[in-house]
Amino acid sequence: MKKNISRNSKSHSGIEIGVYTFGDVIQDPLTGRVISPRQRLEEIVAAAKLADEVGLDVFGVGEHHRLDFAVSATPVVLGAIASVTEQIRLTSATMVLGSSDPVLVFEDKATLDLLSNGRAEIIAG
């Protein structure tokens, strides 16, 4: 009987490869115009979908609270990513716990974990 080993079982070398973003709103390299936050969020979701399709292990989204970053609500963005991915683990690339309600953090991440079928993780600072 052949044993089914999932991509996330880490029976190989133990090395995990992933990518992360802080959602910085930058200039379009072709036009020189600053992209909109909405466009940046669409690009982040598309990048996560591609990362899932090519077999990366983890995709992280960082939290920032400035106008030059599109992501201030990581659970919302990660929820959107969960809806278009199947295997990749989803994490906050950073979460500022000192300014967060711990119960809300738990509730948001627990809900994300349910929506993503157990793929949610937290990186906190």
Side-chain angles (χ1 to χ4, degrees):
M1 191 160 126
K2 185 176 179 182
K3 184 177 179 185
N4 185 13
I5 299 175
S6 74
R7 176 174 87 181
N8 290 328
S9 69
K10 301 300 167 211
S11 63
H12 53 287
S13 68
I15 295 173
E16 297 179 3
I17 299 176
V19 294
Y20 67 91
T21 181
F22 288 104
D24 43 329
V25 179
I26 57 174
Q27 287 183 340
D28 181 308
L30 299 175
T31 66
R33 292 184 309 207
V34 175
I35 64 172
S36 71
R38 178 182 171 89
Q39 179 182 345
R40 184 66 176 119
L41 289 172
E42 289 172 353
E43 291 172 354
I44 290 169
V45 173
K49 185 176 180 189
L50 179 61
D52 186 53
E53 291 169 355
V54 300
L56 294 184
D57 298 300
V58 64
F59 191 88
V61 178
E63 172 184 326
H64 269 282
H65 302 280
R66 296 179 6 190
L67 294 178
D68 53 340
F69 291 91
V71 180
S72 58
T74 57
V76 175
V77 177
L78 290 170
I81 291 169
S83 73
V84 298
T85 58
E86 297 177 10
Q87 296 287 325
I88 199 163
R89 292 190 330 274
L90 307 173
T91 188
S92 55
T94 190
M95 175 175 270
V96 184
L97 290 178
S99 62
S100 301
D101 178 328
V103 174
L104 183 59
V105 169
F106 170 78
E107 291 173 341
D108 286 348
K109 294 304 179 179
T111 302
L112 174 63
D113 199 51
L114 290 170
L115 289 171
S116 66
N117 196 25
R119 295 183 288 136
E121 297 181 356
I122 297 175
I123 298 175

